[in-house]
Amino acid sequence: MARILVCDDSAFMRMMLKRVLVDNGHEVVGEAGDGMEAVQLYRQHKPDLITMDITMPKMDGIQAVTHIHEEDPLVRIIMVTALGQRAIITDALKAGASDFIVKPFDNIQVIETIKKVLQE
């Protein structure tokens, strides 16, 4: 399956996503707690896909997407956003994100979105 980098400032959310991904045959190659760490881990691991929270310290998810997308325009990134942040998704998609998942997420929604993005 896919090698995935999980980026979220909440350790609980990273754990929840990691469990869903691993249970469905994916490999989590790294976990980032902020946008700067996400960019560094992307460079280090070159994952097949990244899940990226929007609101994070040091560098937010949209800034991280912009940096990563500049280095690799074909990178696949799924934004993970809270219900109230849906308007920000447009900015994330313009920055290079492939799709998004809304928190609290449904496990089936996560897996279906990953399948869809990996097939693009």
Side-chain angles (χ1 to χ4, degrees):
M1 293 306 253
R3 298 172 62 253
I4 300 175
L5 173 61
V6 176
C7 309
D8 198 301
D9 60 331
S10 164
F12 177 75
M13 287 306 301
R14 291 194 309 270
M15 180 192 73
M16 295 291 292
L17 266 172
K18 185 175 180 177
R19 181 178 299 144
V20 172
L21 298 172
V22 170
D23 286 352
N24 284 274
H26 298 288
E27 176 188 359
V28 175
V29 295
E31 296 181 40
D34 63 66
M36 289 177 73
E37 188 179 15
V39 174
Q40 292 168 347
L41 288 175
Y42 170 76
R43 289 175 180 150
Q44 182 180 344
H45 296 288
K46 298 289 187 195
D48 301 318
L49 182 115
I50 303 168
T51 64
M52 182 81 69
D53 187 21
I54 290 179
T55 306
M56 294 188 291
K58 297 184 184 175
M59 177 189 294
D60 70 30
I62 294 175
Q63 292 171 312
V65 167
T66 300
H67 284 290
I68 294 169
H69 194 260
E70 286 172 357
E71 290 183 29
D72 181 1
L74 300 177
V75 66
R76 294 177 174 114
I77 303 173
I78 297 173
M79 302 306 290
V80 182
T81 177
L83 278 171
Q85 297 176 314
R86 286 189 81 128
I88 300 172
I89 287 298
T90 303
D91 294 335
L93 294 172
K94 286 179 185 173
S98 304
D99 208 331
F100 66 97
I101 298 167
V102 178
K103 294 185 217 178
F105 55 80
D106 173 78
N107 295 358
I108 295 170
Q109 174 199 21
V110 171
I111 297 306
E112 291 302 316
T113 303
I114 288 171
K115 282 182 189 175
K116 182 179 94 173
V117 169
L118 288 173
Q119 290 172 355
E120 292 177 348

